[in-house]
């Protein structure tokens, strides 16, 4: 009987259960250093299917689990980030990012707390946002609407340390608004063919925004996603990205995972859906790395 108990403890399921127990135990994840000033980060890549929204919500959940206050702004009309954070964004009359951008609804009315963590907040997206690109064209200071809507007083009251802005897979006015509002850009890059396709155009757009609209904007973080260790290609892509972007690339690589893809369908992040999984552990590691960048900056 003793041998069978030992064997059971050594199974992958038991190991995952042990990891999940450690993560979900209050204080088990530990705390991370708070940044001296609030970090506002745009999560952008105009190429679809690279794990952009998945990365935004799971990094946010990881940071919140470690004791940091996080706000996710869902700028994608599909509203997938809102769904993953358990926010009801289809309710009639809900105040959303659309009303913030076009109707001057204050942040205080649009912000919602995620049911998964009291430190995790979201400004949801609704289908109305699909027409915002056209409607913003004639609005005064159209590129700065989001920056002007981010009320520091409200963010301070809620103890928000990080604002993560999930962009649509395009380089239109919504993405421009995100980049004008942010100081940092986080680019998820998938470990697959054509990984760097379109990244050059994204970098050129960032340079234009730096020159004309937001001098503080810079690419601070690259996150490698959808890694499949069974292929040589994944390693080649990772090596190419690291050689190009250097220390901006997080050491943590997010593996391709069915569980990560399933989680939003249940209105959950992977950290809530399957906390002991490789995907959850990877996003927790990536969130720690992201937070520890603060210490590296202070050491310079």
């Amino acid at each position: 009987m003793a041998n069978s108990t030992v064997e059971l403890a050594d199974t992958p399921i038991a190991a995952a259960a042990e990891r999940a127990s450690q993560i979900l135990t209050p204080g088990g994840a530990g705390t991370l250093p708070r940044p001296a000033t609030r970090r506002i980060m745009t999560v952008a890549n105009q190429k679809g299917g690279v794990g952009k929204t998945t990365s935004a919500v799971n990094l946010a959940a990881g940071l919140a689990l470690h004791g940091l206050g996080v706000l996710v702004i869902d700028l994608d009309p599909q509203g997938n980030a809102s769904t993953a954070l358990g926010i009801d964004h289809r309710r009639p009359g809900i105040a959303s990012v659309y009303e913030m951008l076009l109707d001057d609804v204050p942040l205080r009315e649009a912000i919602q707390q995620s049911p998964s963590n009291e430190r995790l907040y979201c400004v949801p997206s609704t289908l109305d946002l699909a027409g915002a690109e056209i409607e913003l064209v004639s609005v005064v200071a159209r590129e700065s609407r989001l920056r002007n809507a981010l009320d520091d007083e409200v963010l301070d009251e809620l103890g928000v340390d990080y604002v993560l802005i999930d962009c649509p897979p395009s380089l239109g006015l919504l993405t421009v608004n995100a980049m004008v509002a942010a100081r940092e850009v986080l680019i998820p890059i998938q470990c697959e063919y054509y990984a760097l396709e379109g990244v050059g155009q994204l970098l050129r757009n960032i340079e234009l925004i730096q020159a004309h609209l937001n001098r503080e904007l810079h690419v601070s973080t690259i996150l490698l996603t959808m890694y499949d260790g069974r292929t040589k290609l994944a390693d080649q892509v990772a090596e190419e990205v690291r050689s190009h972007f250097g220390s901006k690339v997080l050491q943590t690589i997010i593996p391709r995972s069915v569980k990560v893809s399933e989680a939003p369908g249940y209105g959950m992040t992977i950290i809530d859906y399957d906390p002991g999984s490789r995907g959850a552990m990877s996003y927790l590691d990536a969130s720690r790395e992201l937070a520890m960048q603060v210490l590296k900056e202070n050491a310079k």
Side-chain angles (χ1 to χ4, degrees):
M1 179 67 72
N3 287 341
S4 64
T5 303
V6 171
E7 287 172 6
L8 180 61
D10 289 338
T11 63
I13 293 175
E18 174 65 21
R19 292 195 299 268
S21 174
Q22 290 172 357
I23 292 169
L24 298 177
T25 300
T31 56
L32 289 170
R34 296 185 65 186
T37 56
R38 186 178 298 113
R39 294 180 72 182
I40 304 177
M41 310 184 73
T42 291
V43 184
N45 190 331
Q46 77 270 24
K47 189 176 181 192
V50 301
K52 181 175 48 59
T53 297
T54 300
S55 295
V57 297
N58 287 301
L59 287 171
L63 290 166
L65 191 65
H66 284 94
L68 297 167
V70 189
L71 168 63
V72 175
I73 297 178
D74 190 352
L75 267 191
D76 190 337
Q78 296 178 75
N80 292 335
S82 307
T83 300
L85 293 174
I87 304 295
D88 181 8
H89 58 108
R90 295 184 176 87
R91 191 173 71 248
I94 188 174
S96 69
V97 72
Y98 174 87
E99 282 76 21
M100 261 180 39
L101 292 175
L102 287 148
D103 297 335
D104 294 317
V105 166
L107 175 64
R108 194 184 298 276
E109 291 183 22
I111 201 167
Q112 293 191 44
Q113 188 178 58
S114 171
S116 66
N117 192 308
E118 63 181 9
R119 300 183 188 90
L120 184 55
Y121 302 90
C122 177
V123 176
S125 167
T126 60
L127 287 175
D128 291 335
L129 196 59
E133 296 271 7
I134 297 171
E135 293 177 65
L136 279 169
V137 170
S138 59
V139 174
V140 175
R142 60 191 180 187
E143 300 93 350
S144 306
R145 300 292 291 181
L146 181 59
R147 180 173 65 187
N148 296 338
L150 288 180
D151 188 333
D152 284 328
E153 185 178 329
V154 173
L155 296 175
D156 288 342
E157 282 177 21
L158 296 173
V160 172
D161 301 295
Y162 286 79
V163 176
L164 300 182
I165 308 171
D166 182 40
C167 295
S170 70
L171 293 174
L173 269 174
L174 290 175
T175 300
V176 170
N177 261 268
M179 290 187 180
V180 171
R183 297 186 190 94
E184 305 177 49
V185 181
L186 185 155
I187 306 176
I189 297 178
Q190 82 280 27
C191 297
E192 295 180 353
Y193 279 117
Y194 309 123
L196 294 173
E197 186 181 75
V199 173
Q201 182 61 48
L202 175 61
L203 295 176
R204 284 190 289 275
N205 278 44
I206 291 170
E207 288 174 1
L208 285 171
I209 291 168
Q210 282 174 329
H212 301 287
L213 296 167
N214 182 4
R215 294 189 181 280
E216 294 185 346
L217 188 68
H218 64 283
V219 176
S220 67
T221 312
I222 306 292
L223 177 64
L224 291 165
T225 64
M226 301 182 179
Y227 176 80
D228 186 345
R230 298 169 299 178
T231 67
K232 288 183 179 179
L233 173 67
D235 288 323
Q236 290 168 356
V237 170
E239 186 177 335
E240 182 180 0
V241 172
R242 290 192 191 282
S243 67
H244 188 79
F245 290 102
S247 61
K248 292 178 181 179
V249 186
L250 297 184
Q251 291 301 310
T252 303
I253 298 179
I254 308 302
R256 180 175 286 282
S257 166
V258 173
K259 294 284 187 183
V260 170
S261 303
E262 286 177 353
Y266 294 88
M268 302 168 80
T269 65
I270 184 59
I271 292 167
D272 292 312
Y273 179 65
D274 192 355
S277 66
R278 286 174 61 234
M281 300 302 290
S282 296
Y283 272 114
L284 277 173
D285 287 342
S287 67
R288 289 189 196 104
E289 268 197 81
L290 192 65
M292 296 306 282
Q293 287 176 335
V294 173
L295 299 182
K296 291 180 183 178
E297 285 298 314
N298 292 342
K300 288 181 179 178

